[in-house]
């Protein structure tokens, strides 16, 4: 029955439903907003890829613990232990 999923006439029906629901006046604004969102998503993904390429070791190494000086007493819970 369903051999290829979406066929061209399915897309036509979806387009007609979208036009009826949103109206022809809001469609350009909606498309413009969608385009801006896609551009932002692309730029953020690109920035993440570049950041990952610059520091490949940083994900696999644990952060260094702060050094404890021997002159400071060890932390206690206040009961003298």
């Amino acid at each position: 029955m369903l051999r290829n999923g979406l066929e061209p006439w399915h897309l036509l029906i979806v387009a007609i439903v979208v036009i009826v629901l949103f109206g022809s006046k809001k469609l350009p604004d909606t498309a413009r907003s969608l385009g801006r969102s896609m551009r932002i998503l692309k730029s953020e993904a690109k920035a993440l890829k570049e950041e990952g390429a610059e520091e490949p070791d940083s994900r696999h190494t644990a952060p260094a613990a702060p050094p404890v000086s021997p002159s400071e007493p060890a932390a206690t819970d206040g009961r003298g232990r």
Side-chain angles (χ1 to χ4, degrees), residues 4-81:
N4 289 334
L6 286 178
E7 294 184 10
W9 64 273
H10 288 118
L11 297 176
L12 181 64
I13 291 173
V14 169
I16 290 171
V17 169
V18 167
I19 291 172
V20 168
L21 286 177
F22 294 108
S24 60
K25 290 185 180 182
K26 287 193 177 186
L27 283 178
D29 293 335
T30 305
R32 196 172 299 117
S33 296
L34 183 63
R36 284 185 196 135
S37 298
M38 290 302 295
R39 267 186 257 126
I40 291 170
L41 181 66
K42 270 186 180 179
S43 67
E44 291 296 325
K46 184 178 177 183
L48 284 175
K49 279 185 181 178
E50 289 174 356
E51 183 179 307
E54 290 173 1
E55 302 175 22
D57 302 355
S58 65
R59 288 180 285 157
H60 300 292
T61 58
V68 178
S69 66
S71 63
E72 294 179 11
T76 62
D77 59 359
R79 292 184 270 176
R81 295 187 207 175

